[in-house]
Amino acid sequence: MVFKDAALTPEEMPKTTPVPDPYGGRLPTGVSWEPLGVPGQPASAARGTGLEVERHIVEEEGLSADPLAEDLMVVNIGPSHPAMHGTFRLKCWLDGETIVKAIPEIGYLHRCFEKMAELHPWQEIFPYTDRLNYMSSFLNNVGYAMAVEKLLGIEIPKRAQRIRVILGELSRIMDHFVCVGTNLVDLGALTNFWYLFRGREEIYSLMEHVSGARMMVAYGRIGGLMRDVHAGFEEEVRALLATLPRYIDDVDGLITNNRIFIDRSRGVHPISGPDAIDWGWTGPCLRAAGVPYDVRKAHPYYDYDQFDWQVPIGTTGDVYDRYLVRMEEMRQSLSIVRQALDDLPDGPVNVDDWTIAPPPKDAVYNTIEGMVAHFKLTFEGVQVPAGEVYSYTEGGNGELGFYIVSEGAGQPYRIHCRAPCFAIYQNIGQSLEGCMLSDIVAIIGSLNVIAGELDR
Amino acid sequence: MAEFVLENLRRRFGDALERVSDDRGDLTVWVDRGRVHELLEHCKRDPELDFCFCMDVTAVDYLSLGGNPRFAVVYHLYSLATGKRVRVKTGVPEDDPVVDSAVDVWKSTDWFEREVYDMFGIRFEGHPNMKRILCHRDFQGHALRKDYPADLRWKLLRPDDLLDEISPEEMQRVRARVSHPISE
Amino acid sequence: MGLKEGGETSRPVGDTKAPESVFTTTLDKMVRWARAGSLWPLPFGTACCAIEFMSVVSSHYDLARFGAEVVRFSPRQSDMMIVAGTVVDKQAPILKLIYEQMCSPKWVISMGVCASSGGFYRAYHVMQGIDEIVPVDVYVPGCPPTPEGLIYAIMKLQEKIERGDPSHYQVVLEREAAAARGRELARV
């Protein structure tokens, strides 16, 4: 039974105030919700129209019901909106087309990652991390695995490091593909969306070969990787390196000197470097503002300081600069992938410690030590020593930090994910004042706000 | 590893630093709740320290570990100039979960503090908009506390109208800025 | 379809070739065929599944072949809502509002395990399946489902429409009407 009885009298209608007993009654799943309607009237009157509901919302707002009265126009953008950018809400008061006040609201994808992480063993949290920044899922795996490895105090084999770099940079390229593509499609440049998604499909094919899944790869593990890459990995990556630049060049040729795009993005939402730092911005948005902070250069890990690559910096921090920074970052990432691939050593992809990385299957089936190690890992989880650590990597949007508190058990005590989008989206309410309504889609697209990361 | 940071803080706040640890490359400084705002401001303004980034504000509930005080609010600071990081922790008791807000020091602590309030119930004195940010407005309880069950849900019937985030005076000021006169 | 070679397009009245270019059917079947072949989706995309949905409408998998190219973000203009991604309790009233604004006939595809049953988020803020508040016609498992999975779901929905099965919305409405009638009788 999905809908409750519509023919309830107003007295029978359930009250909307929640019961003041937080830990008493539980909300059973499968409960039916009454259709939205005007409180006090049978809900059947409202079914199928939505008009009564809208009128009631207007009255709640205190806005005049007289259609000729002058007041500020209230436009509620989101959380379900045509811009391809995730579930957040922006309530704007408009004077004509100019925004005079904007209030953001988030939490529409709060999937309780941190609570879920407290309930699972360390290695079972990888799928949850995948879904944080779901555009570049492998980068989240790497960030989390690095944090746990820092707590354990181990270093993963060179081959695993290189593969993490290769797949991480390809994930970063995927993230930027979507960011630029959806930013442009929101402005009306649909062709670029098709082009960039085609490039994304090619990286998906590689990811599917390597890990079995297109998007949510869950390929990282504590101590290394899920398994070694397949036999044709190198050729496939080289083929990717040959085809991906074409997509970037196509979009570059169409957009970078495009009059319409420049008009829509130059000077839109500029931000100064010190301001961006004060707001906690990191990543391409901060670099577009002129601050040369990239975790890979400032605090190198996995030999990023030995590869020959540069960090693109913008000047004004407006939408156009962010686009340029992302385009150039994609090219730099391709260069890093090429260098890492040229220097891919042989060897194991997991640490040689069966209390951290599971033993190979023939050892599990044929030796007692292997079987016991596998059993302990599966049932008790990796025993991470007590302590706390904050580990940070360069995610698709900036500094992706994991603050992990361990009590020495097989499950984490507390995991906090420092999401780069959370800091970036904070000042949207204040900085949108004075912008035009149509600038909002350009701005939100260029900030690359991903709801999975924003809300965790 | 960041000795000059520790020395600087010891010189200024020696008595208020409850404990200090340098574990796995992370410098952690526990400070008394009453002086945490002063210490954070010093971290930002002092030219030798220059912690321009407040990367993260979060909290930990030590209930299962029998911790006293129960909560700890954790600040992660980063200095772009020196490249050093420090973790500032302050203990917050359960019966008086209030800490001074650091919004006037770094603007980035705005939403992080709202999230700590939402998840743990720790209020930040002086925050302009101390309201839930991730969970919906009819949510009761604080989800990341150790005694909150993981699957206890609350029903939301209507979306938030967000009018409580803008005061009537501010609405007047906003209306006054508009280009055409608005009739009352 | 009955044209002779050489491209003859005009026929005299009473032509014996007429039966090859005429077919009879019921109005119902025609309407169902038209509805199934032109399902305009409303992508209620929230999370990762929305990205897979974007892949499905992109050039490689191309949803346009199934008549569902016209992705309309307005509920007034669409007839199939694809809920792609996790719906959390905060989003629930909005999902309900959007669903109620759609015009009949309307169908719902619940894409991904999060929309179907909450996925692996058995948590304090995640709705354990959108069928708590909207009637669902097709559930698509997967996290995220592959584009082939979503296309299969749309094909299944098309088969359901062409078979003449009522949408789950109509099933629920009838059930409620029956319950209301039952209560009326009980009151009497």
Side-chain angles (χ1 to χ4, degrees), chain A residues 33 36 53 108, chain B residues 136 155-160, chain C residues 44 87-100 127 133:
Chain A
W33 295 36
L36 281 179
V53 180
Y108 288 95
Chain B
H136 59 77
K155 199 160 147 176
L156 178 72
L157 290 172
R158 312 195 68 84
D160 195 352
Chain C
F44 196 90
V87 175
V88 297
D89 286 331
K90 202 176 202 181
Q91 180 84 321
I94 286 121
L95 173 64
K96 198 66 202 275
L97 183 62
I98 299 282
Y99 180 71
E100 298 213 326
M127 199 184 253
I133 52 172

Side-chain angles (χ1 to χ4, degrees), chain A residues 173-303:
Chain A
I173 293 173
M174 270 210 291
D175 195 339
H176 290 335
F177 270 171
V178 179
C179 173
V180 173
T182 49
N183 193 7
L184 291 170
V185 79
D186 290 340
L187 297 176
L190 186 56
T191 315
N192 309 282
F193 178 74
W194 300 145
Y195 285 175
L196 292 174
F197 257 77
R198 193 66 194 81
R200 207 175 142 85
E201 290 288 335
E202 305 209 352
I203 308 180
Y204 276 166
S205 301
L206 173 73
M207 290 298 191
E208 204 173 4
H209 262 147
V210 166
S211 72
R214 284 157 52 99
M215 273 177 81
M216 305 296 146
V217 291
Y219 185 60
R221 291 288 184 274
I222 302 167
L225 301 167
M226 175 177 108
R227 62 184 180 197
D228 205 346
V229 290
H230 57 286
F233 177 71
E234 208 167 317
E235 288 77 33
E236 229 180 297
V237 177
R238 289 206 195 279
L240 262 185
L241 287 174
T243 56
L244 285 179
R246 179 171 67 98
Y247 297 106
I248 305 174
D249 291 336
D250 276 345
V251 173
D252 204 6
L254 279 173
I255 295 291
T256 307
N257 291 313
N258 186 310
R259 177 85 254 153
I260 302 173
F261 181 67
I262 293 177
D263 276 346
R264 293 254 355 224
S265 61
R266 258 242 171 277
V268 172
H269 196 233
I271 189 165
S272 68
D275 239 351
I277 292 176
D278 208 31
W279 279 107
W281 284 30
T282 50
C285 299
L286 178 68
R287 293 194 279 277
V291 179
Y293 175 56
D294 186 325
V295 179
R296 298 171 288 171
K297 282 280 195 200
H299 306 275
Y301 53 95
Y302 297 166
D303 294 337

Side-chain angles (χ1 to χ4, degrees), chain A residues 40-350:
Chain A
Q41 284 180 25
S44 57
R47 170 166 298 122
T49 61
L51 281 178
E52 277 81 359
V53 180
E54 290 167 359
R55 202 177 306 140
H56 185 76
I57 290 176
V58 163
E59 281 162 10
E60 246 178 21
E61 300 285 324
L63 297 171
S64 171
D66 174 12
L68 291 181
E70 282 184 23
D71 203 335
L72 293 177
M73 173 78 170
V74 178
V75 169
N76 186 59
I77 298 174
S80 167
H81 56 88
M84 309 262 228
H85 278 101
T87 51
F88 34 76
R89 180 180 169 204
L90 203 53
K91 184 160 176 177
C92 305
W93 280 261
L94 299 175
D95 167 29
E97 282 262 334
T98 318
I99 299 168
V100 290
K101 177 83 187 154
I103 300 180
E105 191 194 2
I106 63 169
Y108 288 95
L109 199 63
H110 177 54
R111 292 186 284 194
C112 330
F113 161 69
E114 298 178 4
K115 192 77 175 182
M116 295 286 103
E118 291 173 16
L119 303 176
H120 291 268
W122 294 93
Q123 63 268 31
E124 287 185 20
I125 297 171
F126 280 100
Y128 288 102
T129 57
D130 265 343
R131 286 142 180 93
L132 286 173
N133 180 343
Y134 39 77
M135 308 290 190
S136 55
S137 48
F138 187 67
L139 282 173
N140 309 320
N141 285 350
V142 168
Y144 171 68
M146 265 183 66
V148 183
E149 285 151 15
K150 188 172 173 183
L151 258 180
L152 284 166
I154 59 172
E155 199 180 305
I156 60 172
K158 212 53 168 183
R159 185 175 170 84
Q161 291 183 13
R162 285 281 187 273
I163 296 177
R164 279 188 184 179
V165 164
I166 293 171
L167 293 178
E169 292 304 315
L170 286 173
S171 300
R172 191 190 312 279
I173 293 173
M174 270 210 291
D175 195 339
H176 290 335
F177 270 171
V178 179
C179 173
V180 173
T182 49
N183 193 7
L184 291 170
V185 79
D186 290 340
L187 297 176
L190 186 56
T191 315
N192 309 282
F193 178 74
W194 300 145
Y195 285 175
L196 292 174
F197 257 77
R198 193 66 194 81
R200 207 175 142 85
E201 290 288 335
E202 305 209 352
I203 308 180
Y204 276 166
S205 301
L206 173 73
M207 290 298 191
E208 204 173 4
H209 262 147
V210 166
S211 72
R214 284 157 52 99
M215 273 177 81
M216 305 296 146
V217 291
Y219 185 60
R221 291 288 184 274
I222 302 167
L225 301 167
M226 175 177 108
R227 62 184 180 197
D228 205 346
V229 290
H230 57 286
F233 177 71
E234 208 167 317
E235 288 77 33
E236 229 180 297
V237 177
R238 289 206 195 279
L240 262 185
L241 287 174
T243 56
L244 285 179
R246 179 171 67 98
Y247 297 106
I248 305 174
D249 291 336
D250 276 345
V251 173
D252 204 6
L254 279 173
I255 295 291
T256 307
N257 291 313
N258 186 310
R259 177 85 254 153
I260 302 173
F261 181 67
I262 293 177
D263 276 346
R264 293 254 355 224
S265 61
R266 258 242 171 277
V268 172
H269 196 233
I271 189 165
S272 68
D275 239 351
I277 292 176
D278 208 31
W279 279 107
W281 284 30
T282 50
C285 299
L286 178 68
R287 293 194 279 277
V291 179
Y293 175 56
D294 186 325
V295 179
R296 298 171 288 171
K297 282 280 195 200
H299 306 275
Y301 53 95
Y302 297 166
D303 294 337
Y304 271 108
D305 48 348
Q306 291 170 19
F307 298 127
D308 176 30
W309 62 285
Q310 281 136 1
V311 174
I313 313 282
T315 46
T316 53
D318 59 9
V319 172
Y320 190 62
D321 275 357
R322 286 177 213 144
Y323 158 80
L324 288 176
V325 163
R326 287 204 172 91
M327 294 296 274
E328 186 54 37
E329 265 189 29
M330 285 197 265
R331 294 188 210 277
Q332 295 298 321
S333 288
L334 285 173
S335 152
I336 296 175
V337 171
R338 188 171 295 117
Q339 293 170 58
L341 195 62
D342 289 337
D343 183 33
L344 188 61
D346 291 322
V349 287
N350 279 318

Side-chain angles (χ1 to χ4, degrees), chain A residues 3 5 54 106 128 131, chain C residues 90 101 120 143 172 176 183:
Chain A
F3 293 120
D5 295 328
E54 290 167 359
I106 63 169
Y128 288 102
R131 286 142 180 93
Chain C
K90 202 176 202 181
Q101 288 178 344
F120 65 167
C143 189
V172 162
E176 274 192 57
R183 271 194 309 280

Side-chain angles (χ1 to χ4, degrees), chain A residues 1 5-8 12, chain C residues 176 178-188:
Chain A
M1 183 61 161
D5 295 328
L8 290 175
E12 291 169 24
Chain C
E176 274 192 57
R181 280 195 299 272
R183 271 194 309 280
E184 279 300 316
L185 291 175
R187 227 166 270 171
V188 167

Side-chain angles (χ1 to χ4, degrees), chain C residues 88-119:
Chain C
V88 297
D89 286 331
K90 202 176 202 181
Q91 180 84 321
I94 286 121
L95 173 64
K96 198 66 202 275
L97 183 62
I98 299 282
Y99 180 71
E100 298 213 326
Q101 288 178 344
M102 284 170 75
C103 312
S104 273
K106 51 188 177 180
W107 297 271
V108 174
I109 292 184
S110 156
M111 177 181 176
V113 285
C114 287
S116 308
S117 68

